[in-house]
Amino acid sequence: MTAIRPGLCSVTFRALAPERIVDLAADAGLAAIEWGGDGHVPPGDLVRAEQMARATADAGLVVASYGSYFRAEADEDLTPILDSAEALGADRVRIWAGRLGSVEATADERASTIARLQSAASEAQRRGIGLALEFHAGTLADSAPATLSVLSEVDSTALSTYWQPTVAASDDIALAEYEAVAMHTSAVHVFSWWPQTQRLRLHERGELWRRIFAAAAAQSAPPRDALLEFVPDDDPALLAAEAATLRGSIRSASPR
């Protein structure tokens, strides 16, 4: 079984320069970075993308993916996003399934989003890049059943999903959600929020993450990346310890 790579979403530290994020990730013993498109590597800015590709590689890290804010709306252009992903050396782009939840969207709104996801997946696939849904409220991928429905309707091998714990979900519910989408999950966003959106240290929901990584370790094809996404107070001084907790959780769940 291929080991899950511990990594970092650059949006964890939106206020920091990307060069500083590279240093933090390397010093913390992480393996990969997902570069965010909302500041650190803007879509279409190929000079910046190439700079960060070099900086990431020079630090001994890999680019896990490109975190975009493509919402699959009819008039959105995916091409500059794919251009930046290609310049980064990213083979996966994180996208969003619209702007409406699976219950709120009308049939026509849903059909429009699905059609745009299908065309986006085709465009990305032609360039050797995969797309992955953000598993998130306020989108068509707001639950495990809803995400599975989107994946089935789009019906493309170029489209996978991320997974993250649903806000306020118990450990049992979160684990069940993960297991439902596990075979389609290419990356996991790792953070500990409880009981709502209060940010905790990762070890404070350690049992949840031990169970998640144990479930992942039992898969024939586990998620490639486990990416830290939030730390309390956006404090970079906490990253090294959070990364150590993440690496330990992955390692303890791996078959001996």
Side-chain angles (χ1 to χ4, degrees), residues 11-256:
V11 297
T12 304
F13 302 116
R14 280 190 172 95
L16 298 184
E19 295 79 7
R20 175 64 176 140
I21 291 170
V22 171
D23 291 341
L24 284 167
D27 290 346
L30 294 172
I33 299 177
E34 175 181 279
W35 287 108
D38 63 343
H40 293 133
V41 183
D45 187 343
L46 304 190
V47 171
R48 170 54 68 87
E50 290 167 357
Q51 288 172 340
M52 298 325 301
R54 286 193 298 272
T56 305
D58 288 348
L61 306 171
V62 297
V63 175
S65 45
Y66 184 47
S68 85
Y69 290 85
F70 178 82
R71 290 276 184 169
E73 295 178 310
D75 59 351
E76 275 186 291
D77 187 1
L78 183 67
T79 301
I81 293 171
L82 296 176
D83 290 343
S84 287
E86 197 169 68
L88 274 169
D91 64 357
R92 182 180 63 219
V93 174
R94 178 171 53 83
I95 63 170
W96 300 64
R99 295 182 181 274
L100 295 169
S102 57
V103 174
E104 290 77 22
T106 65
D108 285 347
E109 289 166 337
R110 180 184 183 86
S112 176
T113 299
I114 295 296
R116 187 65 186 98
L117 288 171
Q118 289 172 327
S119 64
S122 295
E123 181 182 356
Q125 190 167 38
R126 287 193 296 271
R127 297 180 62 168
I129 296 172
L131 303 180
L133 300 170
E134 174 84 1
F135 185 85
H136 204 281
T139 74
L140 295 184
D142 56 4
S143 69
T147 300
L148 292 172
S149 292
V150 171
L151 292 168
S152 176
E153 290 175 60
V154 175
D155 191 23
S156 171
T157 57
L159 184 65
S160 62
T161 189
Y162 279 37
W163 177 84
Q164 65 189 34
T166 298
V167 172
S170 68
D171 290 5
D172 288 345
I173 290 173
L175 179 63
E177 288 183 330
Y178 172 73
E179 289 177 331
V181 299
M183 66 179 293
H184 304 284
T185 299
S186 57
V188 173
H189 277 163
V190 181
F191 54 87
S192 289
W193 286 6
W194 193 257
Q196 294 288 326
T197 58
Q198 294 88 340
R199 296 185 184 185
L200 306 178
R201 298 289 298 275
L202 199 57
H203 72 269
E204 294 180 84
R205 292 198 78 183
E207 180 62 20
L208 167 64
W209 289 109
R210 282 189 288 273
R211 294 173 70 185
I212 295 296
F213 289 124
Q219 296 172 230
S220 58
R224 186 177 68 183
D225 301 302
L227 304 170
L228 291 166
E229 190 179 22
F230 300 106
V231 297
D233 301 317
D234 300 326
D235 184 357
L238 298 179
L239 181 61
E242 296 296 272
T245 300
L246 172 60
R247 293 196 310 272
S249 297
I250 295 171
R251 186 169 55 248
S252 66
S254 300
R256 296 297 191 271

